[in-house]
Amino acid sequence: DSAEKKDWAVGFCTHPEEEAYYVTDVEGEIPAELRGTLFRNGPGRLDRGDHSYAHIFDGDGMLCAFAFDDGRLHFRNRFVRTREWAEEEAADRLLHRNTFGTQPRGGWTANAFNMIQKNVANTHVVRWGGKLLALWEAAQPYALDPATLETRGIDTLGGTLRQGMPFTTGSEALDNALPGLSGDPLSAHGRIDTPDPASARDAARGERYVTYGYRAQPSADAVIAGRGAFDSELMIYEFDSAWKAAVRRPLRLQGFAFVHDFAVTENYYLWFQNPCDFDPAPFVLGEKNPAELITYDGSRPTKIHVVPRDPASGRQQRELEIDACFVFHHGRAYEEAGGELGAETIVIDSVVLEAFPDFGSLVRSPDDADKAELRATPFNEIPINRLKRFTLDLAEGDARAAVTQRTPRPRAVEFPCIGNVAPRKPHSLVYTACAASADSNNPFQGVSRTDMVTGEERAHFPGP
């Protein structure tokens, strides 16, 4: 009844039922020609026993499948049964530390020196190459049955990925002596690279799943140079349709590289390295979790790493710069033709925040009455996410002059994606989740389509 629903909304709990049924309450009509399955992943449980999670990103991953066929819609949802989920389900209490602030009760004395984080498998889902994978960027993916959503288990992609956390000592022998701590994570945001049928090289390469994993490495050089305690390693992967690694190649970066997403073009990979540092001491001592310990330094530039896909091509790796900002997600990048080695200009559409959102200030303690409910997000305190188009002139020698940017519309947006655009061809339209207000930050309640060339925007708001 309405009173029960009100209590559920005001209180802090979740209802983790798993269901499977045909949707019969339909407004209008489902088009008969609409066929296929939409898979969605996200935090599906925000409490365990009497313990509420501290941040929504710590929620246990739950997959939803919306299957359309012949004018009907079937819905199914199931939790990703990670090892940690199963243990906590059996005990009905929190047993593992999370990334954004949730950890077992007992304070630092109960959590000190336990540096293994819970794989929540809650960030993204990919259906490709005969696999359905639930992704979380700090560990390895979990495979599920596409029809039933039953969890098949952690997937190392044929032994390519070693199980463990995003950390390396820099010594393979020492890493092997730290099981569970040092592993090969996989980004939550891979890219399906579709070949251009007009390109003989593309036809030979075939469709690939292009992705990466990041690892932090303690570095004396970083400490001496004043860039924090860590340098970083990105491991680049290109998987063929059988999930065999056609490319597995390390890229080492100076400083702590907080990179959540990337983009790929015909000839390049692109990463935006946000100017952030990480202090591991409170994490090791059990006082705080990793996301609470990331700090943003607005005095340093944001770096754009432009890396050739083929090291033998003669193309140069570039490190470009823009004023400090923070980028979580990219839409798509493409190359504009010119020059003997191919494109000299790259265009990329990204969502940009003026500064890093302080996760620590958004963490809620179930024992702290002064902290707001997790659902009561203070949107006026969070930097506005704006869609920007960057143009990278690779023929320009100056690292800053090589980058130009424009903001076609000021509305707060996130999760940029592109429509059905032919491989390698330019695009102008970008779709995003968007805020109702055009000039302030508030919850995303609609969908927008922005023309990045003309600036024209169309937005749809379905209502409460």
Side-chain angles (χ1 to χ4, degrees), residues 143-436:
L144 298 98
D145 186 293
T148 66
L149 299 187
E150 292 182 13
T151 302
R152 291 174 173 170
I154 204 162
D155 197 326
T156 63
L157 303 179
T160 302
L161 308 177
R162 181 179 51 185
Q163 295 189 45
M165 305 306 298
F167 173 83
T168 177
T169 63
S171 164
E172 186 172 354
L174 191 54
D175 285 351
N176 290 333
L178 299 171
L181 181 59
S182 177
D184 298 308
L186 200 70
S187 169
H189 290 292
R191 302 281 172 169
I192 297 173
D193 185 39
T194 303
D196 186 340
S199 167
R201 185 189 63 180
D202 270 15
R205 180 190 289 173
E207 187 170 77
R208 290 185 176 180
Y209 185 74
V210 184
T211 186
Y212 68 98
Y214 72 80
R215 301 196 299 179
Q217 178 180 333
S219 169
D221 291 341
V223 174
I224 294 171
R227 58 174 185 264
F230 294 96
D231 283 331
S232 302
E233 177 193 80
L234 302 183
M235 186 63 75
I236 305 168
Y237 301 99
E238 293 197 20
F239 292 98
D240 65 16
S241 58
W243 285 98
K244 293 182 179 179
V247 174
R248 186 179 186 273
R249 169 180 151 207
L251 172 67
R252 290 178 174 83
L253 303 178
Q254 291 187 342
F256 177 71
F258 188 173
V259 286
H260 177 70
D261 194 5
F262 84 125
V264 62
T265 69
E266 181 179 2
N267 296 296
Y268 294 96
Y269 312 106
L270 301 168
W271 284 273
F272 282 52
Q273 183 179 356
N274 301 298
C276 293
D277 293 316
F278 173 68
D279 178 8
F283 172 56
V284 174
L285 296 176
E287 298 172 352
K288 292 186 177 183
N289 285 359
E292 301 175 85
L293 301 170
I294 297 173
T295 55
Y296 177 81
D297 184 355
S299 68
R300 288 157 38 194
T302 292
K303 298 178 181 179
I304 304 174
H305 298 283
V306 184
V307 181
R309 292 177 66 175
D310 180 2
S313 66
R315 296 179 175 85
Q316 299 299 308
Q317 181 172 324
R318 296 289 306 276
E319 183 180 289
L320 309 180
E321 293 183 356
I322 54 176
D323 288 342
C325 62
F326 194 90
V327 180
F328 271 123
H329 297 120
H330 304 287
R332 176 180 182 258
Y334 65 86
E335 301 175 14
E336 292 183 340
E340 294 182 2
L341 291 177
E344 291 186 21
T345 303
I346 298 176
V347 176
I348 178 170
D349 296 324
S350 311
V351 172
V352 180
L353 290 83
E354 296 171 357
F356 173 67
D358 181 7
F359 286 117
S361 68
L362 302 178
V363 167
R364 172 188 179 273
S365 168
D367 305 315
D368 185 352
D370 295 331
K371 286 284 187 179
E373 283 286 348
L374 183 60
R375 293 183 179 85
T377 303
F379 282 91
N380 60 326
E381 299 176 14
I382 302 175
I384 294 179
N385 313 34
R386 291 189 171 94
L387 188 61
K388 288 182 178 287
R389 168 158 284 195
F390 295 91
T391 302
L392 315 180
D393 181 0
L394 302 186
E396 169 59 58
D398 186 272
R400 280 189 172 261
V403 185
T404 57
Q405 53 185 297
R406 58 186 298 269
T407 305
R409 301 290 293 180
R411 189 187 300 273
V413 300
E414 251 299 1
F415 313 115
C417 63
I418 311 301
N420 187 19
V421 179
R424 317 297 186 214
K425 300 298 183 183
H427 69 270
S428 61
L429 300 179
V430 178
Y431 297 81
T432 60
C434 71

